[in-house]
Amino acid sequence: MFDQIIQEIERQGFSICPHLLSSQEVSEANEFFLRHSTEFQAALVGPETGKKRVEDIRGDFTLWLATDNAPREFRKLFEFLNELKSELNKRLFLGLRDYEAHLARYPVGSFYTLHLDRHEKKSTRVVSFVFYLNEEWKDGEGGELILYDKNNVEILRLPPEPGTFICFLSEEFPHEVKVATRERRSLTGWIHSIQLS
Ligand code: OGA
Ligand code: MN
């Protein structure tokens, strides 16, 4: 598993594990989404000093998770991330220290336009990752993650299928989330080169 991820990151800068999570794990994650639906907050855009809601840029709602004391439903995902972090350090010397993660809910009709996860100079994001948590996703329902190369040529179009995992180098790939006809659920985060407080 980690061999393949390491090789793909080294070769192409991103790696996909189709259906990494079992349907049981995805279904428990969904129950968590339902129980905590009122705690999600509208995701904002802009600089730290002037963040605002702009649904024409991103329309998702997020709930940050504590990574040191994760809810039971996500403990296995976080163990996987801890292992991924140490394998990436051991074999690719990425100097990863810590990660942060939130659940994301994209209501029907919402999207996230083209952006880079490591946009600001001071950003310490090195690896971006997403676990897709919908229990079902059919062709034609949209919601794909699209990765572009540095010349804005599309290189990957990934539908958010149940339990699929992707990670990619935050600096390398502008990307966007297409509009969907079904609520789109994920656990999304970033591994940083510093210890987060
Ligand atoms: C993000 C993001 C991708 C996805 O939250 O920054 O790009 O597929 N998410 O949810
Ligand atoms: Mn992003």
Side-chain angles (χ1 to χ4, degrees), residues 43 58 60 62 102 104 106 112-113 115-117 125 128-132 143-147 158-160 166 168 173 175-178 184-190:
R58 75 182 287 191
D60 58 327
T62 61
H102 62 52
Y106 286 76
Y112 193 163
T113 54
H115 66 280
L116 206 52
D117 283 346
R125 290 172 170 178
S128 303
F129 59 84
V130 190
F131 294 90
Y132 295 105
E144 298 94 344
L145 168 68
I146 306 188
L147 295 195
L158 182 69
I166 181 171
F168 58 90
F173 302 99
H175 56 282
E176 66 176 316
V177 176
K178 299 304 267 187
R184 179 189 192 272
R185 297 174 181 169
S186 65
L187 185 154
T188 300
W190 300 273

